[in-house]
Amino acid sequence: GGVDKHRWSMTGYRAAEGKGDSPRWSMTECRDGYVVLVNQTDNGSTKRVAVYDPLTRGLHLLSAPPEEICGDPEDTAVEFHVVTSEEDRRSLRVVCVGKESGEVRVAVFSLGSRKWQISPEAVSLQLDGEDNGTLVNGCVYWATGADIHVLNSATLQFSRIDRPPHMRREGYKIGETSDGKLCVAWATSSPGLSVWVRRADGSGVDKWMRDRAFGTRAIGELNLEFVDELPVLALDVVAIIGGIVYLSIFQPSLPSASGWFLSFCIETKELKKVCPITRSETSYPYVMAWPPVLVGNKVNSLG
């Protein structure tokens, strides 16, 4: 029946302790089998960037982004995204986005040239410095204000699309379905999950369409174990990867209590408990690509 091209695991980190301006590494993103690590001082100055492949244990060390992008660390928020190629996932680029006082600048690092290419002009755009964008099919998306802003990582051009109806202003996540369609999900107060997918309607125009998700009853059927027999639960969307919505659920009255990591398949509507977690940890769902020799592709085929 063929080999599934992906398997998933979970990875977490605890930031290294540091004093003063001593640099320390932190994890900022997991994407397409790669982990992005950033080395910063306490004042937010970026010293180095690294892209790590846990499958091969390969580590790509990048130089610090240009000062034109990072600016003053007290006023500029910086985020990074790894863009891979379907033909050869080893041919990756790193997109750096600097957000400062209503302006956005972009630079791209290529492993081939080992240099940062800076976008010619800054774009007047108010992006939330605390809210990193989400990479989907080569584009980075930010839901800011009344619109969703889009950066094409190939052309470095910005555009915008409308938000889904009734979309929450916080607590949402942007991702893709199993067939690559853009989607957005957020937790409801019941608690439950609301999912919207952007698809073409009968006239061929892309529109947001509500997708059936789940409510409190589905959570109860999982028989999750908590400290209290009848807990008040807080549900958070962690990420959407390949048509799977990853969620965490806790008792909000117990900040240090254990919780559960859940998964919801948009296609099959199946909600599963994955593993127990603690609220004090920062965790990322991580999708690991199978080695090319097992699946066969243009780079390394079984013939």
Side-chain angles (χ1 to χ4, degrees):
V3 181
D4 185 359
K5 291 187 178 181
H6 295 88
R7 47 187 170 147
W8 78 270
S9 63
M10 225 179 124
T11 183
Y13 78 91
R14 194 178 298 274
E17 296 296 332
K19 296 181 180 179
D21 288 335
S22 300
R24 53 185 177 181
W25 290 95
S26 61
M27 185 187 303
T28 65
E29 187 189 47
C30 296
R31 185 72 193 184
D32 291 340
Y34 290 102
V35 176
V36 181
L37 303 169
V38 178
N39 187 245
Q40 292 179 318
T41 60
D42 286 348
N43 68 356
S45 177
T46 301
K47 296 299 183 182
R48 295 296 296 270
V49 181
V51 178
Y52 178 61
D53 183 350
L55 180 62
T56 65
R57 297 188 179 181
L59 180 67
H60 304 287
L61 283 173
L62 286 58
S63 58
E67 292 184 2
E68 298 94 316
I69 301 297
C70 293
D72 186 342
E74 294 185 359
D75 301 321
T76 306
V78 183
E79 61 183 79
F80 300 89
H81 302 277
V82 177
V83 183
T84 59
S85 167
E86 291 186 1
E87 288 74 22
D88 183 1
R89 67 181 300 270
R90 295 169 296 184
S91 175
L92 60 86
R93 295 177 297 127
V94 178
V95 177
C96 174
V97 182
K99 302 170 285 186
E100 179 181 10
S101 302
E103 284 193 343
V104 178
R105 293 191 69 96
V106 182
V108 178
F109 186 94
S110 171
L111 286 185
S113 66
R114 304 296 303 177
K115 294 181 180 179
W116 287 98
Q117 174 192 353
I118 306 175
S119 180
E121 298 179 355
V123 177
S124 296
L125 191 62
Q126 189 70 51
L127 296 181
D128 187 352
E130 300 297 324
D131 184 16
N132 284 355
T134 302
L135 181 70
V136 177
N137 295 327
C139 291
V140 185
Y141 294 84
W142 297 266
T144 302
D147 300 307
I148 294 177
H149 297 281
V150 187
L151 169 65
N152 186 313
S153 67
T155 64
L156 302 186
Q157 297 296 311
F158 282 89
S159 60
R160 64 181 63 192
I161 60 175
D162 59 305
R163 282 173 172 252
H166 315 298
M167 179 178 170
R168 287 183 56 178
R169 293 290 173 176
E170 57 184 19
Y172 64 85
K173 291 296 179 181
I174 299 173
E176 78 278 3
T177 62
S178 58
D179 58 353
K181 300 297 183 183
L182 185 69
C183 64
V184 178
W186 61 87
T188 63
S189 57
S190 35
L193 182 72
S194 181
V195 178
W196 290 75
V197 179
R198 194 167 180 84
R199 291 194 174 99
D201 61 10
S203 59
V205 178
D206 282 346
K207 292 184 177 180
W208 288 108
M209 301 181 183
R210 188 171 184 176
D211 202 278
R212 182 170 55 88
F214 66 83
T216 307
R217 180 177 178 181
I219 296 176
E221 292 174 351
L222 293 178
N223 296 318
L224 303 176
E225 296 179 1
F226 291 95
V227 175
D228 297 333
E229 293 184 2
L230 297 174
V232 177
L233 301 178
L235 185 70
D236 294 318
V237 180
V238 178
I240 312 171
I241 304 175
I244 305 295
V245 183
Y246 296 101
L247 309 108
S248 62
I249 189 165
F250 296 95
Q251 295 169 303
S253 59
L254 301 171
S256 61
S258 62
W260 284 90
F261 196 70
L262 311 177
S263 68
F264 174 76
C265 179
I266 297 175
E267 183 177 357
T268 65
K269 315 305 176 190
E270 186 176 10
L271 178 66
K272 294 181 178 179
K273 56 182 178 181
V274 178
C275 62
I277 54 176
T278 60
R279 197 166 194 175
S280 59
E281 294 178 337
T282 301
S283 302
Y284 293 82
Y286 169 74
V287 177
M288 180 182 293
W290 286 100
V293 69
L294 296 182
V295 296
N297 56 26
K298 296 180 181 179
V299 178
N300 190 345
S301 176
L302 292 175

